[in-house]
Amino acid sequence: MAQGSSQWDAGNSQPPSFLPAGTPKHHVRPDTMAQPATGQVVPPSFSPASERSSGSRSSSSMSRAGAEADYYDRASRQPARVSGGSSRNATNDEHVYTAAGRSPRPSGSGPRPTRTRGHINAAKVLRRLIAIILVAVIAAAVFAYSWVNSNLNKSSWLSDKDRGQATSWLVLGSDERDGSVHESYDVTGTRTDTILVLTKPKSGASSLISIPRDSLVKIDGTSMKINAVYQLYGKKQLVSTVEDITGQKIDHVAMVKFGGVQQVVDALDGVELCYDHTVNDSNSGLVWQSGCHTADGGTALAFSRMRYSDPDGDFGRAARQRQVIAAIMKKATSRSTLTDFATATKVAKTALQSVSVDNDTSPATLLSMVIAFRNASSSKGITGSLYWTNPGYYVSGVGSCVLLDDDKNTALFSELAAGTHAPGNVGTLAESSSS
């Protein structure tokens, strides 16, 4: 080879054909290559045939080295610029090309996101599943609402009194002789032997207050016990009489037959009741060993009706009636009942068949009533009976009555409706027990 061939004349258009002897091909870098006077970067060439034949590098290795030296920008087809012979990373405007092709992302732009098609598909499936569940829940709620509403036995109960600041329910237990009440004597007609006023204020504790069945009232100047008002004067008159006692509007009414109590308790497979007396009462049919027991429907009914063997008479019976209702509400709304579709359906169907409500009652108001019952029966609620001045007040032609303390009762329900009364027990019986 001629000696002058190792120098490249500026006017010569041909690149050098050989690298200096002893320079390995894999050390060739585009940014360290010799540059002609014209400023163009000269790509490397293959080594002389003598070097290839020496066995130091195979032809395939030299081809890969040549490909690695291809450092051209694809868009402009110009070589990447270098400065002062030193290497630097490509910027956003410079793209590095290797033997594998163009780099997937500019240098220094951070790691590539790892999202895959599987992740995207899983997210879509999850969103669709949630949407399906929501639609199913809404559809079930609409169906349940319609089913309950269509099975409500409604009638006209309410008076024209203006609404108050709280929501109040009048809950009645009808002593209707339907074969479910076991007593040694017959009583004709229908009496409301259980009278409860449930109050839910806008804020504050809910309350459940009993009105003694023998409370003395007057209708059109005629004295009578309050449990006879329904039979003699009708539904609206009974509601108006209770409003006169409490001074508050009754917003809703629910009357339950005593036989319905028995059927609901049996549908729940019994409820837990407690009474610290041993009883064998022939009038109510209650046979009870002192303590707490799981009562079936028949026992729960007798438990809520027994009074002659109770030292507190009708006041003790009212307290046990509140206990029975609280026990039913507690178990009916328990997780074990609500998650058992068959039991929940049976209880709901049985309860709806046994109750009569006012025309304004809806499934939503029934749910509010159940929640208020639970709150009133808890340690944060208010329970008790009315205040009276004489529990054995005798009236000719009527018999022994409970003479109520009108002023105290009006003040009591005013506080209950405002939500300002403290939780606990109220009424004359509660006061006498604590003194």
Side-chain angles (χ1 to χ4, degrees), residues 275 279-288 299-300 302-304 306 320:
Y275 187 54
V279 177
N280 188 352
D281 185 71
S282 59
N283 290 312
S284 63
L286 177 64
V287 178
W288 187 268
T299 303
F303 186 89
S304 64
M306 185 272 293
R320 282 182 279 106

Side-chain angles (χ1 to χ4, degrees), residues 289-374:
Q289 183 68 33
S290 178
C292 296
H293 307 283
T294 298
D296 61 12
T299 303
L301 175 61
F303 186 89
S304 64
R305 289 188 43 76
M306 185 272 293
R307 61 169 175 160
Y308 292 106
S309 298
D310 193 314
D312 294 322
D314 192 51
F315 305 112
R317 178 172 74 165
R320 282 182 279 106
Q321 289 172 347
R322 294 193 299 271
Q323 183 185 163
V324 170
I325 293 176
I328 291 174
M329 292 297 177
K330 180 179 179 181
K331 190 165 186 180
T333 58
S334 66
R335 179 178 298 180
S336 59
T337 300
L338 295 177
T339 55
D340 187 334
F341 180 77
T343 300
T345 302
K346 183 179 180 181
V347 171
K349 185 176 181 179
T350 302
L352 291 174
Q353 290 174 346
S354 305
V355 66
S356 172
V357 298
D358 62 277
N359 288 328
D360 292 344
T361 291
S362 68
T365 56
L366 283 179
L367 178 60
S368 296
M369 184 182 73
V370 170
I371 295 173
F373 258 119
R374 283 188 60 111

Side-chain angles (χ1 to χ4, degrees), residues 193-247:
D193 278 358
T194 301
I195 305 175
L196 299 166
V197 179
L198 175 66
T199 304
K200 180 183 179 182
K202 293 181 180 178
S203 63
S206 295
S207 60
L208 183 63
I209 308 300
S210 297
I211 297 179
R213 67 188 289 275
D214 292 335
S215 297
L216 180 63
V217 296
K218 283 188 177 183
I219 309 296
D220 296 333
T222 303
S223 297
M224 65 187 66
K225 296 180 182 180
I226 194 172
N227 72 329
V229 174
Y230 172 78
Q231 179 185 355
L232 297 177
Y233 290 92
K235 301 173 181 177
K236 289 189 175 182
Q237 183 60 60
L238 175 58
V239 170
S240 296
T241 302
V242 173
E243 290 175 340
D244 290 339
I245 294 173
T246 64

Side-chain angles (χ1 to χ4, degrees), residues 2 5 11 23 29 155 169 171-172 192 212 219 244 262 276 283 295 299 352 362 376 385 400 413:
S5 64
T23 302
R29 294 174 56 186
S155 58
W169 290 265
V171 183
L172 305 170
T192 53
I219 309 296
D244 290 339
Q262 178 175 345
D276 294 332
N283 290 312
T299 303
L352 291 174
S362 68
S385 186
S400 180
F413 278 93

Side-chain angles (χ1 to χ4, degrees), residues 64-85:
R64 286 195 299 272
E68 291 173 354
D70 184 10
Y71 198 68
Y72 291 96
D73 182 90
R74 177 174 294 178
S76 62
R77 307 306 302 170
Q78 296 294 327
R81 291 168 296 184
V82 296
S83 175

